[in-house]
Amino acid sequence: MNETSPPAVYDFASAEPKWQQAWEDAGCFLADDVPQGARPKYYVLEMFPYPSGKIHMGHVRNYTLGDVVARYKRARGYQVLHPMGWDAFGLPAENAARERGVHPGVWTRSNIAAMRAELRRMGLAIDWRREFATCDPAYYGQQQRLFLAFLQAGLVERRESFVNWDPVDGTVLANEQVIDGRGWRSGALVEKKKLSQWFFRITKFAPELLASLDTLKRWPERVRVMQAKWIGRSEGARLRFPLVREEAGIAEVEVFTTRPDTLFGMSFVAVAAEHPLAAAAAARDAGAAAFVAACRGMGTSEVALETAEKQGYDTGLTVRHPFLPDRVFPVWIANFVLMEYGTGAIFGCPAHDQRDLDFARKYGLDVLPVVVPAGEDAAAFSVADRAYDGPGLIANSGFLDGLGIEDAKRAAIDAVAARGWGAGVVNWRLRDWGVSRQRYWGCPIPVIHCGTCGIVSVPDSELPLVLPDDVTFDRPGNPLDHHPTWKHVACPTCGAAATRETDTCDTFVDSSWYFARFCSPGSAMPVQRAAVDSWLPVDQYIGGIEHAILHLLYARFATRAMQATGYLDVAEPFAGLFTQGMVTHESYKSADGRWLYPEETVTSDGVVTERANGAPVAVGRVEAMSKSRRNTVDPGAIIGRYGADTARWFILSDNPPERDIQWTESGVVGAYRFVQRLYRLAEASAGSAPGRPARFADAAQALRRVTHRTIASVTQALDDFAFNVAVARVYELAGAVAEADREGGTDGMAFARREAVEVAARLIAPMMPHLGEELFTLLGHDSLLADEAWPEADPSLVAAQSLVIAVQVMGKLRGTIAVAPDATAETVTEAAEAEPNVARLLEGKRVVKRIYVPGRIVNFVVAG
RNA sequence: GCGGGUGUGGUGAAAUGGUAGACGCGCCGGAUUCAAAAUCCGGUUCCGCAAGGAGUGUCGGUUCGAGUCCGACCACCCGCACCA
């Protein structure tokens, strides 16, 4: 890598800041809270960044994609809302406070300032007046208002639940922060602890969150599939089995099943280790207690789950069966039954469920097939070590015998319901969203706990409830809880001494409604109704696939919750979603095994060596850029050396945006060369436009055709999000100008050439906005290209004047012919038949069929 | 295991069922230059001197015609995963 910029005719370093200032001065990208006039609205939004302090290439890609859409839509006549903000709460700021003694707020603010400067250097068409950070009291105060509105509406509740508790850090951990059963930071063994937590009742919306996925036509299929699976609707039944003998006051055990048709194949009941019945058994039976404890200690990592063998413990309890009064079935505690799903208890039908079969074989329980596949004899059909879960007819099942599976399910549910043993239900995998975090750097949950009044909302007049600044991070646990005075307040209702809630919100709450706040960021309420009514939904949302489930689901929930509480009236926040691919890079390892940054290496003739000492370097896999592998490229350095337009152009070229893109030095240099080339090409047509000539010579007319076809194809490519194709079409246009220059100055060429260059400037404007402005000025305009309308292709020039038709014989290409666009099918087939190579192949054969696809191909089908 | 995706030159990739490989990178050759850089031009799927032939992971199918549609399989990637 060179430290200095390559030779240049176009000085991006002075031009880029100049145009950024010009856009700013002209207010090009400002939007109204309530759009005015007849122009349609378009809301484009990229997922806002966490202010880590530096932008990375993923940001460059994300914000470039969004910026192209924003600028293109604006040129197409839309009023565009394109805002930016900061997802500014979260743990890294507290870690910085612990490690370096800097206040989270100070650390966050300085990171925001640094990142804002870097983003501004990219030349993004953003309405920066709308910028906010989620750690602004003006933002989180409104979030508190929403929280209380949701609480009022019954969409928030407080209840006990098991959490991952880190005893050393004194905090609750998210599942992904538990690694091999230990806290990711402290390394302490994580405990399952029952704690009072705040929950958003997302499950209330489960049916509509699932159903309305079908309305999200402009979402990637896989995201919808992932969400549907996450929500996890399953139809089945709840059944209650009476215990033969009560245990600690528990008289029955309720199970959930999707296979009530296999009820006669039951051989046991199994409950989760956390199930009350398991606890009851453990209380009197040391063996049960040991088993339950072992389950709790078992790793929750994926590896542990995958390799975990089916294990169980017979409680000695038994249950009755609704249709088999003479028999009783054992109740086991089993490690494969999940307390979180269904009722935490199942009935085992080993013949038709692999897990139950594994369990039954291990503990010698009965295996009775009750579904017999077509063609099998009911008496002889048996199951060995493979459970049968296919279609068939019910057997060995009393009144269900002979029914199909679906009929049997209905009949079983009806019969069970008639006897009062259970009912058909729909079960959901989705669980309520626990939002409590025992942390400082988050939005305080605005409630007060009063000994007499219970939970009391912080009065509206006291919002925002601001985080205290004077906190310390010198000991584990929540600084809000340690604060000497903050949590002690008088109850707003009765005036007695009370305490504030010291939990703060999960940061996913902050990002679940920011898109709505952007519509009217200064509003004294969470949103201004007229603003959200006109701007929402977001027309195009762009971000990483890693947010396919949680963030997008939470935002969908929050939108519905805001709809239910009257803040807005859309059900879905994002009409269009685009998920971009990652930015990857080769990784480099020195001979002694250290990862090296790309700039620490030198590549010469394909051999990579270490810059410092010339030692050989091993080139590793191409992977997502990550600090740990040091295969990162700093966008700031790239923009400094080649300019923002080059970085933008490269990241758009080569690959479709949904696919991973490999960042390569040579690719960037190629993009840079094109920036310079386009400028040189434009220089030759500098100044004001020549008059339109009376006639165009062939070469000039040919160039005009390319120009107008390029308008049409780039427009189509941008509409399709095929930015790499748009880039390729612009390259072709530049090539056509160069070719025309070799033809020399024929009639009308000056006009045609100038037209081509100006169209190029207009077409690149969404992608390379600074260069676009520079060329536009070079061509004698004194207005801003950013305010210009998108060019229109002249249909008469887009239509070909002569068509090249492929001629096939038996579907194989044998030649081409040129015909007039309006040539009749007869003329074309005759010309095709006369084509020498075709004629040769047709000689002596009988043509049985002539296929002509107008403007495309002729195909001769021959016999003999 | 389940779900989704992707397989095309040296390489990143294009291609409403209709001339496969547009465009970029790399490479080769040429022009320019004292020389180099930069720039410009040409070539670059494979076999073949050519004519021609073959070719989009594999095998089959539909079709006048398949990279594209259908079926089976292989490889890789991503997600989920004891969800009853």
Side-chain angles (χ1 to χ4, degrees), chain A residues 141-428:
Chain A
Q142 298 301 339
Q143 187 165 307
Q144 291 166 339
R145 195 161 268 132
L146 285 178
F147 184 98
L148 294 175
F150 293 174
L151 182 63
Q152 194 84 42
L155 295 171
V156 177
E157 69 178 21
R158 187 173 167 83
R159 70 170 105 101
E160 294 220 307
S161 82
F162 281 102
V163 295
N164 302 309
W165 180 257
D166 184 324
V168 170
D169 275 359
T171 187
V172 167
L173 298 178
N175 284 333
E176 49 278 1
Q177 290 166 344
V178 181
I179 298 155
D180 290 334
R182 292 174 180 275
W184 67 293
R185 232 172 63 83
S186 68
L189 277 174
V190 168
E191 300 166 359
K192 288 270 181 209
K193 189 172 169 180
K194 216 165 194 184
L195 218 63
S196 268
Q197 301 272 295
W198 288 99
F199 285 88
F200 279 12
R201 300 189 64 191
I202 190 169
T203 53
K204 272 197 163 183
F205 293 113
E208 31 184 314
L209 286 170
L210 180 67
S212 97
L213 284 173
D214 288 338
T215 69
L216 301 174
K217 305 287 185 208
R218 290 196 295 118
W219 278 40
E221 174 69 14
R222 63 173 174 151
V223 174
R224 287 184 302 190
V225 168
M226 282 161 80
Q227 292 221 347
K229 284 185 71 169
W230 187 265
I231 295 167
R233 180 183 196 272
S234 61
E235 282 181 18
R238 282 186 178 227
L239 307 174
R240 288 184 302 276
F241 295 99
L243 288 165
V244 172
R245 179 169 49 80
E246 279 194 15
E247 175 79 25
I250 302 170
E252 58 184 21
V253 51
E254 187 177 35
V255 306
F256 174 72
T257 180
T258 56
R259 294 297 302 272
D261 55 310
T262 64
L263 198 47
F264 284 86
M266 167 174 174
S267 54
F268 62 95
V269 161
V271 302
E274 297 89 0
H275 194 277
L277 204 52
R284 60 150 167 83
D285 176 350
F291 182 74
V292 167
C295 285
R296 189 165 299 170
M298 212 146 32
T300 51
S301 73
E302 279 182 26
V303 185
L305 286 175
E306 215 168 325
T307 54
E309 213 183 315
K310 302 275 178 297
Q311 287 174 14
Y313 185 87
D314 188 350
T315 61
L317 298 167
T318 51
V319 294
R320 299 186 198 284
H321 189 284
F323 309 123
L324 299 168
D326 303 337
R327 296 189 54 193
V328 295
F329 297 88
V331 178
W332 287 67
I333 305 168
N335 67 340
F336 67 92
V337 179
L338 306 174
M339 191 61 215
E340 302 86 35
Y341 188 77
T343 61
I346 61 159
F347 80 77
C349 176
H352 305 294
D353 183 289
Q354 191 60 45
R355 296 158 302 184
D356 297 347
L357 183 61
D358 294 344
F359 192 76
R361 291 295 182 220
K362 176 158 178 175
Y363 293 106
L365 300 163
D366 293 343
V367 179
L368 173 68
V370 291
V371 180
V372 179
E376 291 276 351
D377 174 30
F381 180 65
S382 70
V383 161
D385 57 357
R386 193 82 202 159
Y388 180 72
D389 59 4
L393 295 179
I394 306 295
N396 303 320
S397 296
F399 66 95
L400 297 177
D401 280 355
L403 295 177
I405 288 173
E406 291 310 314
D407 289 341
K409 283 179 180 173
R410 276 188 292 274
I413 289 171
D414 288 348
V416 163
R419 287 165 174 77
W421 285 59
V425 295
V426 172
N427 194 60
W428 300 86

Side-chain angles (χ1 to χ4, degrees), chain A residues 586-589 593-598 600 623-633:
Chain A
E586 283 179 332
S587 52
Y588 307 101
K589 219 168 195 177
R594 287 170 296 119
W595 292 109
L596 298 172
Y597 286 108
E600 293 177 310
E623 317 184 62
M625 288 189 180
S626 86
K627 278 181 197 148
S628 61
R629 273 185 298 273
R630 300 198 161 189
N631 61 336
T632 55
V633 174

Side-chain angles (χ1 to χ4, degrees), chain A residues 504-705:
Chain A
T504 54
C505 285
D506 180 2
T507 56
F508 272 118
V509 178
D510 311 339
S511 56
S512 69
W513 73 286
Y514 76 110
F515 49 87
R517 181 70 181 168
F518 271 140
C519 300
S520 55
S523 171
M525 290 301 285
V527 295
Q528 180 193 338
R529 189 58 197 263
V532 285
D533 281 352
S534 39
W535 282 115
L536 291 181
V538 174
D539 295 280
Q540 187 63 62
Y541 195 37
I542 306 172
I545 187 70
E546 67 272 20
H547 293 112
I549 295 177
L550 294 185
H551 162 59
L552 291 169
L553 194 59
Y554 293 153
R556 296 180 64 217
F557 160 76
T559 302
R560 282 185 158 70
M562 290 174 81
Q563 185 182 37
T565 47
Y567 284 101
L568 46 73
D569 196 22
V570 293
E572 288 293 337
F574 312 121
L577 173 69
F578 188 87
T579 52
Q580 56 172 18
M582 293 183 302
V583 183
T584 64
H585 198 280
E586 283 179 332
S587 52
Y588 307 101
K589 219 168 195 177
S590 70
D592 53 343
R594 287 170 296 119
W595 292 109
L596 298 172
Y597 286 108
E599 61 266 26
E600 293 177 310
T601 68
V602 179
T603 305
S604 169
D605 291 333
V607 179
V608 182
T609 52
E610 199 171 342
R611 182 182 292 278
N613 52 25
V617 168
V619 178
R621 285 177 41 178
V622 174
E623 317 184 62
M625 288 189 180
S626 86
K627 278 181 197 148
S628 61
R629 273 185 298 273
R630 300 198 161 189
N631 61 336
T632 55
V633 174
D634 172 27
I638 296 294
I639 292 172
R641 196 172 307 140
Y642 301 103
D645 282 341
T646 293
R648 293 168 61 122
W649 188 250
F650 173 68
I651 210 132
L652 292 168
S653 61
D654 283 10
N655 270 35
E658 67 274 15
R659 225 177 285 182
D660 288 354
I661 189 169
Q662 187 184 350
W663 186 272
T664 63
E665 184 70 10
S666 60
V668 180
V669 172
Y672 179 79
R673 278 206 297 261
F674 184 67
V675 169
Q676 296 296 335
R677 181 179 192 214
L678 210 47
Y679 187 88
R680 283 193 304 271
L681 285 175
E683 271 187 315
S685 289
S688 53
R692 189 192 174 91
R695 68 171 292 274
F696 292 97
D698 287 353
Q701 193 66 1
L703 177 57
R704 296 201 68 211
R705 287 210 173 81

Side-chain angles (χ1 to χ4, degrees), chain A residues 55-63 580-583 625 635 651:
Chain A
I55 64 169
H56 55 67
M57 280 300 169
H59 292 127
V60 172
R61 194 175 200 193
N62 195 183
Y63 300 127
Q580 56 172 18
M582 293 183 302
V583 183
M625 288 189 180
I651 210 132

Side-chain angles (χ1 to χ4, degrees), chain A residues 421-490:
Chain A
W421 285 59
V425 295
V426 172
N427 194 60
W428 300 86
R429 181 183 175 278
L430 185 68
R431 279 174 268 157
D432 278 333
W433 174 16
V435 298
S436 285
R437 297 291 181 270
Q438 289 68 41
R439 294 194 186 121
Y440 167 72
W441 195 233
C443 170
I445 291 173
V447 301
I448 291 163
H449 300 278
C450 170
T452 46
C453 307
I455 288 168
V456 183
S457 295
V458 169
D460 192 72
S461 61
E462 289 176 25
L463 298 181
L465 169 60
V466 178
L467 287 168
D469 268 335
D470 53 337
V471 283
T472 53
F473 295 90
D474 51 1
R475 55 180 161 149
N478 182 355
L480 281 183
D481 205 29
H482 304 149
H483 192 281
T485 56
W486 186 78
K487 71 175 173 184
H488 301 292
V489 288

